Structures are given as C-alpha cells and as structure tokens.
C-alpha cells in the first residue's frame, strides 16, 4: 500500500493524494486502508520513511567529506525520483525507523570526524539546506539535460537580453551556453564549497597538537 502511494505521488504529486484516491488505484475500499494506517498523516510518515530508506547512509570506511559527498549525491538522486518529498523530509513529527537511522548515521559520521555536538548540528543543517534547496530549484527548471540548458541559454534567454541593456546577464547567459555544463556541475561546485568551509571550521576547532 505504501509503495503504491509513493508511486502515485511520483506520478501526480502529493497534493492530490487521498485515501479514496489510493483505494481506487488499489481497487480496494477506502475504509479498508484504515486497517493499515490511521489517517493520511500516518500514510505520509510511512511514505517519507520509504524515501529515507533509499538514501545511501554515510560509510565508516571513508573520510567524513567523502561520506557527506556521497550522501548528498544520493539525496539529490532520490529527490529527483520523488520530487513531492522535497518539502516533507524534515516535516514529520513521528519519524519512522529509516528516517531515524539516516539522521543518526549522519550525525555519527560528523561526530566521529571531530565535530563538536553543536558544530555537527550546524553542519548537518547546512548540508541539508544546500541539498534540499538545490533539489527544489532543480525541480522547477524548464530543462532536463545539459543540451537543453545550452539551447535555452542560447535560443531563449540571450534574445531577451540586449547587451547594451543587460550586459552582465547577457555575458552570463552566453558563457552558460558555451560551457556545456549543467545542474550536475553546479551541484558539485556548491557542495565542494560547503564541504571545504566545514572542514576549515572543523580543523580550526581541533586542539593544538
């Protein structure tokens, strides 16, 4: 039932999800679903937990930056499949087991790397803000591939940006069209800046040897 609810939300978004709509997809009576979940909020909790279960947990076998990098890439990939979940991952007040395992593993990775309790919390919040924010922005982009981005920049944006009126936007759009880069490169660029900044803070907090 939960897996079908996730597939339905993937296709149609979560706003239109209802117990009656789900029952129709399952060819079951709406009241029968209440044997499994008490209400829609409990169903959303289970759906969000399913999404968290797809995210790669930080590994103990690599340094903290590699672990956080792989985790960030995994989160972005999962949210690309389940765009409805972007605004829900941190909204649940009754987190499921996969949700709790994920957050415990992230904080554990940062604490074992030498971050204080407070700085591990700050780092976790910052990384989530970057990844979720990027995923939200990416979900609204009017293109899906690097080639489509280059086409949009060259054939759609540039004609609307006369260089005498918008010189900086014009040169930026032209550079974007010529670079052959897209969201993957932008995501990596920002993520590396965040990780480098956090490493600087972590290193400076270490006691003198």
């Amino acid at each position: 039932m939960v897996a079908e609810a996730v597939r339905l939300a993937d296709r149609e978004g979560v706003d239109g999800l209802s117990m009656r709509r789900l029952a129709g997809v399952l060819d079951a009576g709406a009241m029968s679903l209440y044997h499994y979940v008490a209400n829609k909020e409990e169903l959303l909790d289970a759906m969000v937990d399913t999404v968290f279960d797809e995210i790669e947990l930080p590994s103990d076998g690599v340094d903290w930056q590699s672990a956080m990098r792989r985790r960030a890439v995994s989160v972005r990939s999962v949210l690309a499949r389940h765009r409805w979940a972007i605004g829900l991952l941190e909204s649940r007040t009754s987190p499921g087991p996969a949700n709790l395992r994920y957050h415990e593993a992230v904080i554990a990775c940062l604490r074992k790397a030498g971050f204080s309790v407070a700085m591990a919390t700050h780092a976790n919040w910052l990384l989530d803000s970057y990844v979720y924010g990027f995923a939200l922005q990416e979900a609204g982009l009017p293109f899906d591939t690097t080639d489509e981005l280059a086409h949009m920049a060259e054939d759609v944006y540039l004609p609307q940006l006369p260089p005498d009126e918008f010189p900086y936007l014009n040169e930026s759009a032209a550079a974007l069209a010529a670079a052959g880069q897209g969201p993957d490169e932008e995501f990596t660029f920002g993520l590396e800046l965040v990780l480098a900044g956090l490493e600087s803070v972590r290193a400076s907090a270490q006691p003198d040897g």
Side-chain angles (χ1 to χ4, degrees):
M1 181 186 75
V2 175
E4 189 57 52
V6 169
R7 285 191 286 269
L8 181 59
D10 290 344
R11 292 195 304 271
E12 302 179 11
V14 76
D15 290 340
L17 177 66
S18 67
M19 301 298 276
R20 184 178 298 278
R21 176 78 178 93
L22 179 59
V25 172
L26 293 170
D27 195 22
M31 294 306 296
S32 67
L33 302 186
Y34 291 100
H35 292 294
Y36 303 97
V37 293
N39 48 47
K40 183 179 177 180
E41 286 302 305
E42 193 169 301
L43 175 62
L44 287 174
D45 285 340
M47 292 168 64
V48 167
D49 209 52
T50 297
V51 173
F52 270 115
D53 199 41
E54 295 182 23
I55 300 172
E56 179 180 348
L57 298 182
S59 171
D60 287 335
V62 297
D63 63 275
W64 78 269
Q65 290 191 62
S66 296
M68 290 298 103
R69 187 178 295 110
R70 288 171 59 174
R71 166 241 182 177
V73 170
S74 179
V75 173
R76 180 189 172 214
S77 176
V78 169
L79 290 179
R81 295 195 297 272
H82 308 297
R83 292 184 172 182
W84 57 269
I86 295 173
L88 292 177
L89 289 190
E90 303 302 331
S91 71
R92 314 318 298 165
T93 57
S94 299
N99 186 332
L100 293 173
R101 282 195 303 271
Y102 168 79
H103 284 95
E104 174 71 11
V106 171
I107 293 295
C109 176
L110 295 169
R111 291 285 289 120
K112 291 175 182 178
F115 287 89
S116 68
V117 174
M119 280 309 304
T121 302
H122 293 324
N124 181 43
W125 196 295
L126 176 60
L127 286 161
D128 280 351
S129 296
Y130 175 71
V131 178
Y132 296 162
F134 193 97
L136 182 62
Q137 182 182 43
E138 188 172 24
L141 293 174
F143 51 82
D144 294 317
T145 67
T146 300
D147 288 342
E148 289 176 356
L149 170 58
H151 163 70
M152 290 288 294
E154 187 169 12
D155 300 329
V156 178
Y157 297 138
L158 270 174
Q160 303 178 64
L161 301 171
D164 57 335
E165 187 175 359
F166 304 105
Y168 298 110
L169 285 175
N170 183 281
E171 68 180 8
S172 181
L176 191 64
Q181 298 183 341
D184 288 348
E185 290 79 14
E186 295 301 330
F187 180 77
T188 299
F189 177 80
L191 179 60
E192 293 304 320
L193 285 181
V194 171
L195 292 174
L198 288 173
E199 171 58 19
S200 177
V201 171
R202 186 198 70 84
S204 66
Q206 297 299 305
D208 293 335

